[in-house]
């Protein structure tokens, strides 16, 4: 077994060797600017076009509907701000949920300060939105619904097809942050009625610093970066050719092996859930028990501080998190866990273990073994736990 057991694949993944091998020539040999008309530039342009086609194929889109970005956060910002400002003559109302990634929530908060109105839908105890509440929230001023495909903290997969149908029936654009879903879920943007979709490479064994936004042909949106004519005049800036090539290879590998990938992760995920809930008291599984990402496990342990739990696991060589990597360092409990109804004191005791291609059954056994001892040790220091033991 490795000295480090990495179970934070929802935060980022290692770059696969095949991906790195595909990228390397574009750093040193095929380094031309894609906007140049000579041979080196044409090689880079061809590589981008091939990667764009690979991304499009994996979500059932046309290659001309794929726009490369610096990552998922930029794609979210572009989708929401781009639609908002391009369609403000029609309306100023946006609908989202309370458990979105901060790239969505903070963008919506920004727009609220600039004349837009936002409805934040509640979720149930599993993190699911209510479709009837979504319908009721739509007004004649609604221009965009933005609901994430799958939650990055608790793994719950939303009823995307039904949301897309509602949006289409009301003539409203539908954007989904699919950063966690890509490479884990089959996606067909036409079948699901998705108009805009955000992706990121580093969640699927690709490089950091590159992502993409799918924009359905005909969707009215503003260009995001002004300057050159890159990305069909919608996002200026010299393209990150090695990163784009890596993204194309990573998403191709992900969907070539999706069935086997998911079978393995679901087996490990369910083993981890079953053993922890059977062997440790006062623990709750957060997120939907069935409609969840194949590699996502999120527990809330009572009478424990999540930070102490993470540090103790780290000392045993286990890398995990308490939620989104983008909120690391925050003393506030997860907004996602509060939204599903957890009180502050329990939300503070959360642990996210996100499995990936390189995890093994042996590692799961080791994590369960160490977790049992760590939880017991930390609880022995908790006066709240002492009170519970005395009551029993």
């Amino acid at each position: 077994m490795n000295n480090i057991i990495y179970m934070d694949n929802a935060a980022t993944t290692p770059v696969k060797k095949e991906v790195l091998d595909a990228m390397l020539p574009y750093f040193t040999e095929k380094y031309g600017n894609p906007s140049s008309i000579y041979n080196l530039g044409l090689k880079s342009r061809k590589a981008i076009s091939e990667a764009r086609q690979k991304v499009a194929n994996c979500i059932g889109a046309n290659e001309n509907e794929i726009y490369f970005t610096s990552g998922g956060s930029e794609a979210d910002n572009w989708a929401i701000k781009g639609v908002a400002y391009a369609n403000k003559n029609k309306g100023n109302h946006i609908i989202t949920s309370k458990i979105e990634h901060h790239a969505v929530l903070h963008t919506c908060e920004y727009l609220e300060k600039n004349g837009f109105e936002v409805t934040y839908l509640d979720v149930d105890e599993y993190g699911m939105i209510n479709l009837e509440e979504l319908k009721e929230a739509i007004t004649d001023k609604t221009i965009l619904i933005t609901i994430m495909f799958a939650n990055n903290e608790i793994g719950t997969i939303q009823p995307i097809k039904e949301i897309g149908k509602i949006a289409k029936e009301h003539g409203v654009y539908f954007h989904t942050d699919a950063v966690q879903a890509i490479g884990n879920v089959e996606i067909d943007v036409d079948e699901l009625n998705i108009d805009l979709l955000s992706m990121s490479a580093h969640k699927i064994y690709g490089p950091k610093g590159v992502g993409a936004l799918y924009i359905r042909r005909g969707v009215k949106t503003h260009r995001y970066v002004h300057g050159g004519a890159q990305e069909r005049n919608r996002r200026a800036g010299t393209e990150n050719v090695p990163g784009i090539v890596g993204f194309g290879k990573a998403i191709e590998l992900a969907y070539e092996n999706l069935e086997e990938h998911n079978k393995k992760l679901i087996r490990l995920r369910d083993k981890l859930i079953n053993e922890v809930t059977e062997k440790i008291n006062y623990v709750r599984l957060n997120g939907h028990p069935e409609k969840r990402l194949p590699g996502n496990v999120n527990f809330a342990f009572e009478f424990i501080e999540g930070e102490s739990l993470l540090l103790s696991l780290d000392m045993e060589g286990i890398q995990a998190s308490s939620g989104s990597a983008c909120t690391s360092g925050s003393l506030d409990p997860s907004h996602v866990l509060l939204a599903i109804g957890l009180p502050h004191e329990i939300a503070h005791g959360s642990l996210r273990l996100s499995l990936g291609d390189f995890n093994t059954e042996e590692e799961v056994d080791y994590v369960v073994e160490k977790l049992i001892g760590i939880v017991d040790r930390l609880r022995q220091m908790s006066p709240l736990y002492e009170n519970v033991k005395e009551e029993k």
Side-chain angles (χ1 to χ4, degrees):
M1 189 155 51
N2 295 330
N3 292 328
I4 291 178
I5 294 177
Y6 186 74
M7 288 195 180
D8 201 17
N9 289 276
T12 195
T13 56
V15 174
K16 285 187 174 177
K17 185 180 184 304
E18 303 97 312
V19 174
L20 180 61
D21 288 345
M23 294 171 64
L24 285 176
Y26 294 92
F27 285 107
T28 55
E29 301 161 29
K30 304 175 183 178
Y31 52 83
N33 188 315
S35 297
S36 303
I37 61 171
Y38 44 74
N39 187 257
L40 270 180
L42 293 176
K43 286 181 178 178
S44 292
R45 193 184 310 171
K46 182 172 183 288
I48 291 174
S49 178
E50 290 173 352
R52 199 185 307 278
Q53 186 65 64
K54 289 175 181 177
V55 174
N57 289 346
C58 290
I59 63 169
N62 184 284
E63 65 172 309
N64 292 325
E65 297 173 311
I66 303 297
Y67 298 84
F68 289 112
T69 67
S70 65
S73 290
E74 183 191 326
D76 285 341
N77 272 258
W78 183 2
I80 298 167
K81 292 176 186 173
V83 166
Y85 286 117
N87 295 274
K88 61 182 180 180
N89 62 323
K90 177 189 172 186
N92 68 338
H93 182 230
I94 297 167
I95 300 171
T96 188
S97 83
K98 291 182 178 178
I99 63 166
E100 299 297 309
H101 190 278
H102 280 129
V104 169
L105 292 177
H106 289 172
T107 301
C108 288
E109 289 165 9
Y110 166 82
L111 288 173
E112 283 185 290
K113 296 174 183 176
N114 288 272
F116 291 86
E117 295 181 2
V118 181
T119 296
Y120 299 90
L121 297 174
D122 288 321
V123 294
D124 65 17
E125 61 180 311
Y126 300 121
M128 284 282 192
I129 68 160
N130 183 302
L131 294 173
E132 289 305 313
E133 289 180 7
L134 171 62
K135 291 178 186 176
E136 291 170 7
I138 298 173
T139 74
D140 59 355
K141 298 294 184 182
T142 306
I143 53 176
L144 178 68
I145 296 168
T146 174
I147 302 289
M148 67 195 329
F149 205 115
N151 187 265
N152 52 304
E153 293 191 34
I154 60 174
T156 297
I157 299 172
Q158 298 292 345
I160 295 298
K161 186 172 184 177
E162 291 82 354
I163 297 170
K165 184 171 182 284
I166 291 167
K168 187 174 183 180
E169 287 172 351
H170 289 82
V172 175
Y173 289 141
F174 174 38
H175 163 251
T176 186
D177 176 342
V179 166
Q180 294 291 333
I182 288 290
N184 287 302
V185 180
E186 289 279 7
I187 296 176
D188 184 308
V189 291
D190 285 338
E191 182 184 341
L192 300 175
N193 292 306
I194 296 168
D195 297 305
L196 304 103
L197 180 144
S198 302
M199 297 169 266
S200 182
H202 76 104
K203 309 291 189 178
I204 55 170
Y205 310 95
K208 297 173 182 64
V210 61
L213 177 64
Y214 157 74
I215 306 175
R216 181 182 294 280
R217 185 176 297 162
V219 169
K220 189 177 178 184
T221 180
H222 275 184
R223 66 184 302 169
Y224 193 61
V225 180
H226 295 83
Q230 291 89 353
E231 295 304 291
R232 297 182 297 289
N233 287 305
R234 284 190 162 182
R235 183 189 183 270
T238 302
E239 298 92 340
N240 173 8
V241 182
I244 289 170
V245 169
F247 188 10
K249 185 63 177 178
I251 199 168
E252 180 181 51
L253 289 173
Y255 280 95
E256 280 178 357
N257 303 301
L258 185 65
E259 187 175 350
E260 287 304 310
H261 162 88
N262 283 353
K263 280 182 182 177
K264 174 190 172 182
L265 291 195
I266 290 170
R267 187 181 74 251
L268 295 180
R269 180 199 71 189
D270 291 349
K271 175 182 173 68
L272 184 54
I273 291 171
N274 292 336
E275 295 208 5
V276 168
T277 53
E278 286 173 8
K279 296 177 180 179
I280 301 177
N281 293 326
Y282 303 108
V283 59
R284 165 197 162 115
L285 176 68
N286 297 316
H288 200 283
E290 297 166 0
K291 298 172 183 175
R292 69 185 303 129
L293 291 171
N296 176 282
V297 179
N298 189 302
F299 295 118
F301 295 93
E302 292 188 54
F303 319 114
I304 282 180
E305 283 289 334
E307 187 175 358
S308 299
L309 182 58
L310 291 179
L311 292 173
S312 297
L313 287 169
D314 189 30
M315 290 175 68
E316 299 290 350
I318 300 164
Q319 317 288 288
S321 74
S322 58
S324 171
C326 298
T327 57
S328 178
S330 171
L331 295 177
D332 295 327
S334 158
H335 70 284
V336 175
L337 298 183
L338 295 181
I340 64 174
L342 267 62
H344 278 64
E345 62 272 18
I346 296 179
H348 269 300
S350 66
L351 173 69
R352 182 183 70 182
L353 296 162
S354 45
L355 301 156
D357 279 3
F358 301 111
N359 291 123
T360 66
E361 194 162 335
E362 183 185 14
E363 289 180 337
V364 170
D365 290 336
Y366 179 84
V367 169
V368 172
E369 176 194 341
K370 294 300 179 183
L371 197 54
I372 292 169
I374 290 168
V375 169
D376 182 63
R377 177 174 59 81
L378 293 176
R379 281 181 175 165
Q380 296 307 320
M381 297 184 283
S382 168
L384 293 174
Y385 188 60
E386 285 298 316
N387 294 336
V388 170
K389 287 199 299 182
E390 288 174 8
E391 289 172 5
K392 293 177 80 174

